[in-house]
Coordinates of all heavy atoms in Angstrom, one line a residue:
M169 N -9.2 -9.0 -6.4 CA -9.6 -7.6 -6.4 C -8.9 -7.0 -5.2 O -8.8 -7.5 -4.1 CB -11.1 -7.5 -6.2 CG -11.5 -6.1 -6.1 SD -13.3 -5.9 -6.1 CE -13.9 -7.4 -5.4
L170 N -8.4 -5.8 -5.4 CA -7.7 -5.1 -4.3 C -8.7 -4.7 -3.2 O -9.8 -4.3 -3.5 CB -7.0 -3.8 -4.8 CG -5.8 -3.9 -5.8 CD1 -5.4 -2.6 -6.3 CD2 -4.7 -4.7 -5.2
E171 N -8.3 -4.7 -2.0 CA -9.1 -4.3 -0.9 C -9.3 -2.8 -0.8 O -10.2 -2.3 -0.2 CB -8.5 -4.8 0.5 CG -8.6 -6.3 0.7 CD -7.9 -6.6 2.0 OE1 -8.0 -5.9 3.0 OE2 -7.3 -7.7 2.1
L172 N -8.3 -2.1 -1.3 CA -8.2 -0.6 -1.1 C -8.3 -0.3 0.4 O -9.3 0.3 0.8 CB -9.3 0.0 -1.9 CG -9.4 -0.3 -3.4 CD1 -10.6 0.3 -4.1 CD2 -8.1 0.1 -4.1
R173 N -7.3 -0.6 1.1 CA -7.3 -0.4 2.6 C -7.3 1.1 2.9 O -6.8 1.9 2.2 CB -6.1 -1.1 3.2 CG -6.2 -2.6 3.0 CD -5.0 -3.4 3.5 NE -5.1 -4.8 3.2 CZ -4.0 -5.6 3.2 NH1 -2.9 -5.2 3.7 NH2 -4.2 -6.9 2.9
P174 N -7.9 1.4 4.0 CA -8.3 2.8 4.3 C -7.2 3.7 4.8 O -7.4 4.9 4.9 CB -9.4 2.7 5.3 CG -9.1 1.4 6.0 CD -8.5 0.5 5.0
A175 N -6.0 3.2 5.3 CA -5.1 4.0 5.9 C -3.7 3.4 5.8 O -3.5 2.2 5.6 CB -5.4 4.2 7.4
C176 N -2.7 4.3 6.0 CA -1.3 3.8 6.1 C -1.1 2.9 7.3 O -1.4 3.3 8.4 CB -0.4 5.1 6.2 SG 1.4 4.7 6.4
E177 N -0.4 1.8 7.1 CA -0.2 0.8 8.2 C 0.7 1.4 9.2 O 0.7 1.0 10.4 CB 0.4 -0.5 7.7 CG -0.6 -1.3 6.9 CD 0.0 -2.7 6.5 OE1 1.0 -3.2 7.1 OE2 -0.5 -3.3 5.6
H178 N 1.6 2.3 8.9 CA 2.6 2.9 9.8 C 2.0 4.1 10.5 O 2.0 4.1 11.8 CB 3.9 3.2 9.1 CG 4.9 3.7 10.0 ND1 5.5 2.9 11.0 CD2 5.5 4.9 10.1 CE1 6.4 3.6 11.6 NE2 6.4 4.9 11.2
C179 N 1.6 5.1 9.8 CA 1.3 6.4 10.4 C -0.2 6.7 10.5 O -0.7 7.7 11.0 CB 2.0 7.6 9.7 SG 1.2 8.0 8.1
S180 N -1.0 5.7 10.0 CA -2.5 5.8 10.0 C -3.1 7.0 9.2 O -4.2 7.3 9.3 CB -3.0 6.0 11.4 OG -2.7 4.8 12.2
K181 N -2.2 7.6 8.3 CA -2.8 8.6 7.4 C -3.9 8.0 6.6 O -3.8 6.9 6.0 CB -1.7 9.1 6.5 CG -2.2 10.2 5.5 CD -1.1 10.7 4.6 CE -1.7 11.7 3.6 NZ -0.7 12.4 2.9
P182 N -5.1 8.7 6.5 CA -6.2 8.2 5.7 C -5.8 8.1 4.2 O -5.2 9.0 3.7 CB -7.3 9.2 5.9 CG -6.9 10.0 7.2 CD -5.4 10.0 7.2
L183 N -6.1 7.0 3.6 CA -5.8 6.8 2.2 C -7.1 6.3 1.5 O -7.3 5.2 1.2 CB -4.7 5.7 2.0 CG -3.3 6.1 2.6 CD1 -2.4 4.9 2.6 CD2 -2.7 7.2 1.9
P184 N -8.0 7.3 1.3 CA -9.3 7.0 0.6 C -9.0 6.5 -0.8 O -7.9 6.6 -1.3 CB -10.0 8.3 0.6 CG -9.0 9.4 0.8 CD -7.9 8.7 1.6
P185 N -10.0 5.8 -1.4 CA -9.8 5.2 -2.7 C -9.2 6.1 -3.8 O -8.5 5.6 -4.6 CB -11.2 4.7 -3.1 CG -12.1 4.9 -2.0 CD -11.4 5.6 -0.9
A186 N -9.5 7.4 -3.7 CA -9.0 8.2 -4.8 C -7.7 8.9 -4.4 O -7.1 9.7 -5.2 CB -10.0 9.4 -5.0
S187 N -7.1 8.4 -3.3 CA -5.8 9.0 -2.9 C -4.7 8.7 -3.9 O -4.5 7.5 -4.3 CB -5.4 8.5 -1.5 OG -4.1 9.0 -1.2
L188 N -3.9 9.7 -4.3 CA -2.7 9.5 -5.1 C -1.5 9.2 -4.3 O -0.4 9.0 -4.8 CB -2.4 10.8 -6.0 CG -3.5 11.1 -7.0 CD1 -3.2 12.5 -7.6 CD2 -3.7 10.1 -8.0
D189 N -1.7 9.2 -3.0 CA -0.6 9.0 -2.0 C -0.5 7.6 -1.5 O 0.5 7.3 -0.8 CB -1.0 9.9 -0.8 CG 0.2 10.3 0.0 OD1 1.3 10.4 -0.6 OD2 0.1 10.6 1.2
A190 N -1.4 6.7 -1.9 CA -1.3 5.3 -1.5 C -0.3 4.5 -2.2 O -0.2 4.6 -3.5 CB -2.7 4.7 -1.6
R191 N 0.5 3.7 -1.5 CA 1.4 2.8 -2.1 C 1.1 1.4 -1.6 O 0.8 1.2 -0.4 CB 2.9 3.2 -1.8 CG 3.3 4.6 -2.2 CD 3.4 4.7 -3.7 NE 3.8 6.0 -4.1 CZ 3.0 7.0 -4.4 NH1 1.7 6.8 -4.3 NH2 3.4 8.2 -4.8
I192 N 1.3 0.4 -2.5 CA 1.0 -1.0 -2.1 C 2.1 -1.9 -2.6 O 2.8 -1.6 -3.6 CB -0.3 -1.6 -2.6 CG1 -0.4 -1.4 -4.2 CG2 -1.5 -0.8 -2.0 CD1 -1.6 -2.1 -4.8
C193 N 2.4 -3.0 -1.8 CA 3.3 -4.1 -2.3 C 2.4 -5.1 -3.0 O 1.2 -5.0 -3.0 CB 4.1 -4.6 -1.2 SG 3.1 -5.9 -0.2
S194 N 3.0 -6.2 -3.4 CA 2.2 -7.2 -4.2 C 1.2 -7.9 -3.3 O 0.2 -8.5 -3.8 CB 3.1 -8.2 -4.8 OG 3.6 -9.1 -3.9
Y195 N 1.4 -7.8 -2.0 CA 0.4 -8.4 -1.0 C -0.6 -7.4 -0.5 O -1.4 -7.6 0.4 CB 1.1 -9.1 0.2 CG 1.9 -10.3 -0.2 CD1 3.2 -10.3 -0.4 CD2 1.2 -11.5 -0.4 CE1 3.9 -11.4 -0.8 CE2 1.9 -12.7 -0.8 CZ 3.2 -12.6 -1.0 OH 3.9 -13.7 -1.3
E196 N -0.5 -6.2 -1.1 CA -1.4 -5.1 -0.7 C -1.1 -4.6 0.7 O -2.0 -3.9 1.3 CB -2.9 -5.4 -0.9 CG -3.7 -4.2 -1.4 CD -5.2 -4.4 -1.5 OE1 -5.6 -5.6 -1.8 OE2 -5.9 -3.4 -1.4
C197 N 0.1 -4.8 1.2 CA 0.5 -4.0 2.4 C 0.4 -2.5 1.9 O 0.9 -2.2 0.8 CB 1.9 -4.4 2.8 SG 2.1 -6.1 3.1
T198 N -0.2 -1.7 2.7 CA -0.6 -0.3 2.2 C 0.1 0.7 3.1 O -0.1 0.7 4.3 CB -2.1 -0.2 2.2 OG1 -2.6 -1.3 1.4 CG2 -2.5 1.1 1.7
F199 N 0.8 1.6 2.5 CA 1.5 2.7 3.2 C 1.3 4.0 2.4 O 1.0 4.0 1.2 CB 3.0 2.4 3.4 CG 3.2 1.2 4.3 CD1 3.3 0.0 3.8 CD2 3.4 1.4 5.7 CE1 3.5 -1.1 4.6 CE2 3.6 0.3 6.5 CZ 3.7 -1.0 6.0
C200 N 1.5 5.2 3.1 CA 1.5 6.4 2.4 C 2.9 6.6 1.7 O 3.9 6.0 2.1 CB 1.2 7.6 3.3 SG 2.5 8.0 4.5
A201 N 2.9 7.5 0.7 CA 4.2 7.7 -0.1 C 5.3 8.2 0.8 O 6.5 7.7 0.7 CB 3.9 8.7 -1.2
A202 N 5.0 9.0 1.8 CA 6.1 9.5 2.7 C 6.7 8.4 3.5 O 7.9 8.4 3.7 CB 5.5 10.6 3.6
C203 N 5.9 7.5 4.1 CA 6.4 6.5 4.9 C 7.2 5.5 4.0 O 8.3 5.0 4.4 CB 5.3 5.7 5.6 SG 4.6 6.6 7.0
V204 N 6.8 5.2 2.8 CA 7.5 4.3 1.9 C 8.9 4.9 1.6 O 9.9 4.2 1.7 CB 6.8 4.1 0.6 CG1 7.7 3.5 -0.5 CG2 5.6 3.2 0.8
E205 N 9.0 6.2 1.5 CA 10.2 6.9 1.2 C 11.1 7.0 2.4 O 12.3 6.5 2.4 CB 10.0 8.3 0.6 CG 10.5 8.4 -0.8 CD 10.1 9.8 -1.3 OE1 10.8 10.8 -0.9 OE2 9.1 9.9 -2.1
T206 N 10.6 7.5 3.5 CA 11.5 7.9 4.6 C 11.6 6.8 5.6 O 12.7 6.7 6.2 CB 10.9 9.2 5.3 OG1 9.6 8.9 5.8 CG2 10.8 10.4 4.3
V207 N 10.6 6.1 5.9 CA 10.7 5.0 6.9 C 11.1 3.7 6.3 O 11.9 3.0 6.9 CB 9.3 4.9 7.7 CG1 9.4 3.9 8.8 CG2 8.9 6.2 8.2
L208 N 10.5 3.3 5.2 CA 10.7 2.0 4.7 C 11.7 1.8 3.6 O 12.2 0.7 3.3 CB 9.3 1.5 4.1 CG 8.1 1.5 5.0 CD1 6.9 1.1 4.3 CD2 8.4 0.6 6.2
A209 N 12.2 3.0 3.0 CA 13.2 2.9 1.9 C 12.7 1.9 0.8 O 13.6 1.2 0.3 CB 14.5 2.6 2.5
N210 N 11.5 1.9 0.5 CA 10.9 1.0 -0.6 C 11.1 -0.5 -0.3 O 11.3 -1.3 -1.2 CB 11.4 1.4 -1.9 CG 10.5 0.9 -3.0 OD1 9.3 0.8 -2.9 ND2 11.1 0.6 -4.2
V211 N 11.2 -0.8 1.0 CA 11.3 -2.3 1.3 C 10.0 -2.5 2.2 O 9.9 -2.0 3.3 CB 12.6 -2.6 2.1 CG1 12.5 -4.1 2.6 CG2 13.8 -2.3 1.3
C212 N 9.2 -3.4 1.8 CA 8.0 -3.7 2.6 C 8.4 -4.5 3.8 O 9.1 -5.5 3.8 CB 7.0 -4.6 1.7 SG 5.6 -5.1 2.7
P213 N 8.0 -4.0 5.0 CA 8.4 -4.7 6.3 C 7.8 -6.1 6.4 O 8.2 -6.8 7.3 CB 7.9 -3.7 7.3 CG 6.7 -3.0 6.7 CD 7.1 -2.9 5.2
N214 N 6.8 -6.4 5.7 CA 6.1 -7.7 5.8 C 6.6 -8.7 4.8 O 6.6 -9.9 5.1 CB 4.6 -7.5 5.7 CG 4.1 -6.4 6.6 OD1 4.4 -6.5 7.8 ND2 3.3 -5.5 6.1
C215 N 7.1 -8.3 3.6 CA 7.5 -9.3 2.6 C 8.8 -8.9 1.9 O 9.3 -9.8 1.2 CB 6.4 -9.4 1.5 SG 6.2 -8.0 0.4
G216 N 9.3 -7.8 2.1 CA 10.6 -7.4 1.5 C 10.5 -6.9 0.1 O 11.5 -6.5 -0.5
G217 N 9.3 -6.9 -0.5 CA 9.1 -6.4 -1.8 C 9.1 -4.9 -1.9 O 9.1 -4.2 -0.9
G218 N 9.0 -4.4 -3.1 CA 8.9 -2.9 -3.3 C 7.5 -2.5 -3.4 O 6.5 -3.3 -3.4
F219 N 7.3 -1.2 -3.6 CA 6.0 -0.6 -3.6 C 5.7 0.1 -5.0 O 6.6 0.6 -5.6 CB 5.8 0.5 -2.5 CG 5.8 -0.1 -1.1 CD1 6.9 -0.3 -0.4 CD2 4.5 -0.5 -0.6 CE1 6.9 -0.9 0.9 CE2 4.5 -1.1 0.7 CZ 5.7 -1.3 1.4
V220 N 4.4 0.2 -5.3 CA 4.0 0.9 -6.5 C 2.7 1.7 -6.1 O 2.1 1.4 -5.1 CB 3.6 0.0 -7.7 CG1 4.8 -0.7 -8.2 CG2 2.5 -1.0 -7.3
P221 N 2.4 2.8 -6.9 CA 1.2 3.6 -6.6 C 0.0 2.7 -6.7 O -0.1 1.8 -7.6 CB 1.2 4.6 -7.7 CG 2.6 4.8 -8.1 CD 3.2 3.4 -8.0
R222 N -0.9 2.8 -5.8 CA -2.2 2.0 -5.8 C -3.1 2.5 -6.9 O -3.3 3.8 -7.0 CB -2.9 2.1 -4.5 CG -4.1 1.1 -4.4 CD -4.7 1.2 -3.0 NE -5.3 2.5 -2.8 CZ -5.8 2.9 -1.6 NH1 -5.7 2.1 -0.6 NH2 -6.4 4.0 -1.4
P223 N -3.6 1.7 -7.8 CA -4.5 2.2 -8.8 C -5.8 2.7 -8.2 O -6.2 2.3 -7.1 CB -4.8 0.9 -9.6 CG -3.9 -0.2 -9.2 CD -3.4 0.2 -7.8
I224 N -6.5 3.6 -8.9 CA -7.7 4.2 -8.5 C -8.9 3.4 -9.1 O -9.0 3.3 -10.3 CB -7.8 5.7 -8.9 CG1 -6.5 6.4 -8.6 CG2 -9.1 6.3 -8.3 CD1 -6.4 6.9 -7.2
R225 N -9.8 2.9 -8.2 CA -11.0 2.3 -8.7 C -12.0 3.4 -9.1 O -12.2 4.3 -8.3 CB -11.6 1.4 -7.7 CG -12.8 0.5 -8.2 CD -13.1 -0.6 -7.2 NE -12.0 -1.5 -7.0 CZ -11.8 -2.3 -6.0 NH1 -12.7 -2.3 -5.0 NH2 -10.7 -3.0 -5.9
P226 N -12.6 3.3 -10.3 CA -13.5 4.3 -10.7 C -14.7 4.5 -9.7 O -15.2 3.5 -9.1 CB -14.1 3.8 -12.1 CG -13.1 2.9 -12.6 CD -12.4 2.2 -11.3
S227 N -15.1 5.7 -9.5 CA -16.2 6.0 -8.7 C -17.6 5.9 -9.4 O -18.6 5.9 -8.8 CB -16.1 7.4 -8.0 OG -16.1 8.4 -9.0
K228 N -17.5 5.9 -10.8 CA -18.7 5.9 -11.6 C -18.8 4.5 -12.3 O -17.7 3.9 -12.6 CB -18.6 7.0 -12.6 CG -18.7 8.4 -12.0 CD -18.7 9.4 -13.1 CE -18.7 10.8 -12.5 NZ -17.3 11.1 -11.9
N229 N -20.0 4.1 -12.6 CA -20.2 2.9 -13.3 C -20.1 3.0 -14.8 O -21.0 3.1 -15.5 CB -21.6 2.4 -12.9 CG -21.8 0.9 -13.4 OD1 -20.9 0.3 -14.0 ND2 -23.0 0.4 -13.2
W230 N -18.8 3.0 -15.2 CA -18.5 3.2 -16.7 C -18.9 2.0 -17.4 O -19.3 2.0 -18.6 CB -17.1 3.6 -16.9 CG -16.6 4.9 -16.2 CD1 -15.9 5.0 -15.1 CD2 -17.0 6.2 -16.7 NE1 -15.7 6.3 -14.9 CE2 -16.4 7.1 -15.8 CE3 -17.7 6.7 -17.7 CZ2 -16.5 8.5 -15.9 CZ3 -17.8 8.1 -17.9 CH2 -17.2 8.9 -16.9
K231 N -18.7 0.8 -16.8 CA -18.9 -0.4 -17.5 C -19.1 -1.6 -16.5 O -18.2 -1.8 -15.6 CB -17.7 -0.7 -18.4 CG -17.9 -1.9 -19.4 CD -16.8 -2.0 -20.4 CE -17.2 -3.1 -21.3 NZ -16.1 -3.4 -22.3
G232 N -20.1 -2.4 -16.7 CA -20.3 -3.7 -16.1 C -20.3 -3.7 -14.6 O -19.9 -4.7 -14.0
D233 N -20.7 -2.6 -13.9 CA -20.7 -2.6 -12.4 C -19.3 -2.7 -11.8 O -19.2 -3.1 -10.7 CB -21.6 -3.7 -11.9 CG -23.1 -3.3 -11.9 OD1 -23.4 -2.1 -12.1 OD2 -23.9 -4.2 -11.7
N234 N -18.3 -2.4 -12.6 CA -16.9 -2.4 -12.0 C -16.6 -1.0 -11.5 O -15.9 -0.3 -12.2 CB -15.9 -2.9 -13.1 CG -16.2 -4.3 -13.6 OD1 -16.4 -5.2 -12.8 ND2 -16.3 -4.5 -14.9
Y235 N -17.0 -0.8 -10.3 CA -16.8 0.6 -9.7 C -17.0 0.5 -8.2 O -17.4 -0.5 -7.7 CB -17.7 1.6 -10.4 CG -19.1 1.6 -9.9 CD1 -19.7 2.7 -9.4 CD2 -19.9 0.5 -10.1 CE1 -21.0 2.8 -8.9 CE2 -21.3 0.5 -9.7 CZ -21.8 1.6 -9.1 OH -23.1 1.6 -8.7
L236 N -16.7 1.6 -7.6 CA -16.7 1.6 -6.1 C -18.1 1.4 -5.5 O -18.2 0.8 -4.4 CB -16.2 3.0 -5.6 CG -14.7 3.2 -5.5 CD1 -14.4 4.6 -5.2 CD2 -14.0 2.2 -4.5
G237 N -19.1 1.8 -6.2 CA -20.5 1.6 -5.7 C -20.8 0.1 -5.5 O -21.5 -0.3 -4.6
K238 N -20.2 -0.7 -6.4 CA -20.5 -2.2 -6.3 C -19.4 -2.8 -5.5 O -19.7 -3.8 -4.7 CB -20.5 -2.7 -7.7 CG -20.3 -4.2 -7.8 CD -21.7 -4.9 -8.0 CE -21.6 -6.4 -8.1 NZ -20.3 -6.9 -8.7
D239 N -18.2 -2.4 -5.6 CA -17.0 -2.9 -4.9 C -16.3 -1.9 -4.1 O -15.3 -1.3 -4.5 CB -16.0 -3.5 -5.9 CG -16.6 -4.7 -6.7 OD1 -17.3 -5.5 -6.1 OD2 -16.5 -4.7 -8.0
P240 N -16.9 -1.5 -2.9 CA -16.4 -0.4 -2.1 C -15.0 -0.7 -1.5 O -14.7 -1.9 -1.4 CB -17.5 -0.2 -1.1 CG -18.2 -1.5 -1.0 CD -18.1 -2.1 -2.3
A241 N -14.3 0.3 -1.2 CA -13.0 0.2 -0.5 C -13.2 -0.4 0.9 O -14.3 -0.3 1.5 CB -12.4 1.5 -0.4
S242 N -12.2 -1.1 1.4 CA -12.2 -1.7 2.7 C -12.3 -0.6 3.8 O -11.8 0.5 3.6 CB -11.0 -2.5 2.9 OG -10.8 -2.8 4.3
T243 N -12.9 -0.9 4.9 CA -13.0 0.1 6.0 C -12.2 -0.4 7.2 O -12.2 0.2 8.2 CB -14.4 0.4 6.4 OG1 -15.1 -0.9 6.7 CG2 -15.2 1.1 5.3
K244 N -11.6 -1.6 7.0 CA -10.9 -2.3 8.1 C -9.4 -1.7 8.2 O -8.6 -2.0 7.4 CB -10.8 -3.8 7.8 CG -11.1 -4.6 9.1 CD -11.4 -6.1 8.6 CE -10.4 -7.0 9.2 NZ -10.5 -8.4 8.7
V245 N -9.2 -0.9 9.2 CA -7.8 -0.3 9.4 C -6.8 -1.4 9.9 O -7.1 -2.1 10.8 CB -7.9 0.9 10.4 CG1 -6.5 1.4 10.7 CG2 -8.8 2.0 9.8
K246 N -5.7 -1.4 9.2 CA -4.6 -2.3 9.7 C -3.5 -1.4 10.2 O -2.9 -0.7 9.4 CB -4.0 -3.1 8.5 CG -4.7 -4.4 8.3 CD -3.9 -5.4 7.5 CE -4.8 -6.6 7.3 NZ -4.0 -7.8 6.8
H247 N -3.3 -1.3 11.5 CA -2.3 -0.4 12.1 C -1.2 -1.3 12.6 O -1.3 -2.0 13.6 CB -2.9 0.5 13.1 CG -1.9 1.5 13.6 ND1 -1.3 2.3 12.8 CD2 -1.5 1.8 14.9 CE1 -0.5 3.1 13.5 NE2 -0.6 2.8 14.8
R248 N -0.1 -1.4 11.8 CA 1.1 -2.2 12.2 C 2.3 -1.4 12.1 O 3.1 -1.5 11.2 CB 1.2 -3.4 11.3 CG 0.0 -4.4 11.4 CD 0.2 -5.7 10.6 NE 0.1 -5.5 9.1 CZ 0.1 -6.4 8.2 NH1 0.4 -7.7 8.6 NH2 0.0 -6.2 7.0
P249 N 2.5 -0.4 13.0 CA 3.6 0.5 12.9 C 5.0 -0.2 12.9 O 5.1 -1.3 13.6 CB 3.5 1.4 14.1 CG 2.4 0.9 14.9 CD 1.7 -0.2 14.2
V250 N 5.9 0.3 12.1 CA 7.2 -0.3 12.0 C 8.2 0.3 13.0 O 8.2 1.6 13.2 CB 7.7 0.0 10.5 CG1 9.1 -0.4 10.4 CG2 6.8 -0.7 9.5
D251 N 8.9 -0.5 13.7 CA 10.0 0.0 14.5 C 11.2 0.3 13.6 O 11.8 -0.6 12.9 CB 10.4 -1.1 15.5 CG 11.5 -0.7 16.4 OD1 12.5 0.0 16.0 OD2 11.5 -1.0 17.6
P252 N 11.6 1.6 13.5 CA 12.7 2.0 12.6 C 13.9 1.2 12.7 O 14.6 0.8 11.7 CB 12.9 3.5 12.9 CG 11.6 3.9 13.5 CD 11.1 2.8 14.3
A253 N 14.3 0.9 14.0 CA 15.6 0.1 14.2 C 15.4 -1.3 13.7 O 16.3 -1.9 13.0 CB 15.9 0.1 15.7
V254 N 14.3 -1.9 14.0 CA 14.0 -3.3 13.5 C 14.0 -3.3 11.9 O 14.6 -4.2 11.3 CB 12.7 -3.8 14.1 CG1 12.3 -5.1 13.4 CG2 12.8 -4.0 15.6
H255 N 13.3 -2.3 11.4 CA 13.2 -2.3 9.9 C 14.6 -2.0 9.3 O 14.9 -2.6 8.2 CB 12.2 -1.2 9.4 CG 12.0 -1.3 8.0 ND1 11.4 -2.4 7.4 CD2 12.3 -0.5 7.0 CE1 11.3 -2.2 6.1 NE2 11.9 -1.0 5.8
A256 N 15.4 -1.2 9.9 CA 16.7 -0.9 9.3 C 17.5 -2.2 9.3 O 18.2 -2.5 8.3 CB 17.5 0.1 10.2
A257 N 17.5 -3.0 10.3 CA 18.2 -4.3 10.4 C 17.6 -5.2 9.3 O 18.4 -5.9 8.6 CB 18.1 -4.9 11.7
F258 N 16.3 -5.3 9.2 CA 15.7 -6.2 8.2 C 16.0 -5.8 6.8 O 16.3 -6.6 5.9 CB 14.2 -6.2 8.5 CG 13.4 -6.9 7.4 CD1 13.5 -8.3 7.2 CD2 12.6 -6.1 6.5 CE1 12.7 -8.9 6.1 CE2 11.8 -6.7 5.5 CZ 11.9 -8.1 5.3
S259 N 16.0 -4.5 6.5 CA 16.0 -4.0 5.2 C 17.4 -3.7 4.6 O 17.5 -3.5 3.4 CB 15.1 -2.7 5.0 OG 15.7 -1.7 5.8
S260 N 18.4 -3.7 5.5 CA 19.7 -3.3 5.0 C 20.3 -4.1 3.9 O 20.8 -3.5 2.9 CB 20.7 -3.2 6.2 OG 20.9 -4.5 6.7
A261 N 20.0 -5.4 3.9 CA 20.6 -6.2 2.8 C 19.6 -6.2 1.6 O 20.1 -6.5 0.4 CB 20.7 -7.7 3.3
I262 N 18.4 -5.8 1.8 CA 17.4 -5.9 0.7 C 17.4 -4.6 -0.1 O 17.3 -4.6 -1.3 CB 16.0 -6.2 1.3 CG1 16.0 -7.4 2.1 CG2 14.9 -6.2 0.2 CD1 14.7 -7.7 2.9
R263 N 17.5 -3.5 0.6 CA 17.5 -2.1 0.1 C 18.3 -1.9 -1.2 O 17.7 -1.3 -2.1 CB 18.0 -1.2 1.2 CG 17.6 0.2 1.1 CD 18.1 1.0 2.3 NE 17.4 0.5 3.5 CZ 17.2 1.3 4.6 NH1 17.7 2.6 4.5 NH2 16.6 0.9 5.6
P264 N 19.5 -2.4 -1.3 CA 20.3 -2.1 -2.5 C 19.8 -2.9 -3.7 O 20.2 -2.6 -4.8 CB 21.7 -2.5 -2.1 CG 21.7 -2.8 -0.7 CD 20.3 -3.1 -0.3
I265 N 19.0 -3.9 -3.5 CA 18.6 -4.8 -4.6 C 17.3 -4.2 -5.2 O 16.3 -4.0 -4.5 CB 18.3 -6.2 -4.1 CG1 19.5 -6.8 -3.3 CG2 17.9 -7.1 -5.3 CD1 19.1 -8.1 -2.6
P266 N 17.3 -3.9 -6.5 CA 16.0 -3.4 -7.1 C 14.9 -4.4 -6.9 O 15.1 -5.6 -7.0 CB 16.4 -3.1 -8.5 CG 17.7 -3.8 -8.8 CD 18.3 -4.0 -7.5
P267 N 13.6 -3.9 -6.7 CA 12.5 -4.8 -6.4 C 12.4 -5.9 -7.5 O 12.0 -7.0 -7.1 CB 11.3 -3.8 -6.5 CG 11.9 -2.5 -6.1 CD 13.2 -2.4 -6.6
E268 N 12.7 -5.6 -8.7 CA 12.5 -6.7 -9.7 C 13.5 -7.8 -9.6 O 13.4 -8.8 -10.3 CB 12.5 -6.1 -11.1 CG 13.8 -5.5 -11.6 CD 14.0 -4.0 -11.2 OE1 13.3 -3.6 -10.3 OE2 14.8 -3.4 -11.9
K269 N 14.5 -7.6 -8.8 CA 15.5 -8.7 -8.6 C 15.5 -9.3 -7.2 O 16.4 -10.1 -6.8 CB 16.9 -8.1 -8.9 CG 17.1 -7.6 -10.3 CD 18.5 -7.5 -10.7 CE 18.6 -7.3 -12.2 NZ 19.5 -6.3 -12.7
R270 N 14.5 -8.9 -6.4 CA 14.5 -9.4 -5.0 C 13.9 -10.8 -5.0 O 13.0 -11.1 -5.7 CB 13.6 -8.5 -4.1 CG 14.4 -7.2 -3.8 CD 13.5 -6.3 -2.9 NE 14.1 -5.0 -2.9 CZ 13.5 -3.8 -2.5 NH1 12.2 -3.9 -2.1 NH2 14.1 -2.7 -2.5
Ligands
ZN76 ZN1 2.3 6.7 6.5
ZN77 ZN1 4.5 -6.7 1.5

């Protein structure tokens, strides 16, 4: 189950569970859309993978207790800001490769 982390790891922008602005990699490294585009160039600084929009967990109990009331979003902030120069060096060879071929 996704943790639904509460904020962008780079800029700390709040990313509540219903945010359309949250992006995650396959390890659930979590950033806002602006940081993924402008700072990360769609390369995760922790694994090198690409990002996708984070799915929204329903706030209502439509079926079988599968909703935020039973499985709330994480409140544990992970703040691991990226050094743009370090990330540029790390991501330069990865960036041109589409995520499905990395
Ligand atoms: Zn951000
Ligand atoms: Zn990652």
Side-chain angles (χ1 to χ4, degrees):
M169 178 176 26
L170 294 178
E171 286 176 39
L172 305 174
R173 297 177 187 167
C176 173
E177 287 184 23
H178 182 68
C179 73
S180 296
K181 177 180 179 168
L183 297 170
S187 174
L188 296 172
D189 203 30
R191 300 288 181 271
I192 56 172
C193 81
S194 76
Y195 291 100
E196 214 181 336
C197 306
T198 303
F199 294 89
C200 71
C203 286
V204 165
E205 241 175 77
T206 62
V207 182
L208 304 177
N210 202 29
V211 175
C212 176
N214 306 311
C215 72
F219 290 91
V220 295
R222 187 179 67 191
I224 311 278
R225 186 168 300 159
S227 61
K228 296 182 184 71
N229 189 1
W230 298 106
K231 190 171 183 183
D233 279 345
N234 296 311
Y235 77 120
L236 279 172
K238 164 97 179 330
D239 298 313
S242 165
T243 54
K244 223 168 120 188
V245 173
K246 272 199 184 191
H247 187 54
R248 298 187 283 187
V250 172
D251 180 322
V254 171
H255 187 66
F258 168 69
S259 64
S260 61
I262 304 170
R263 200 178 293 212
I265 308 167
E268 69 272 21
K269 297 197 168 140
R270 285 180 195 164

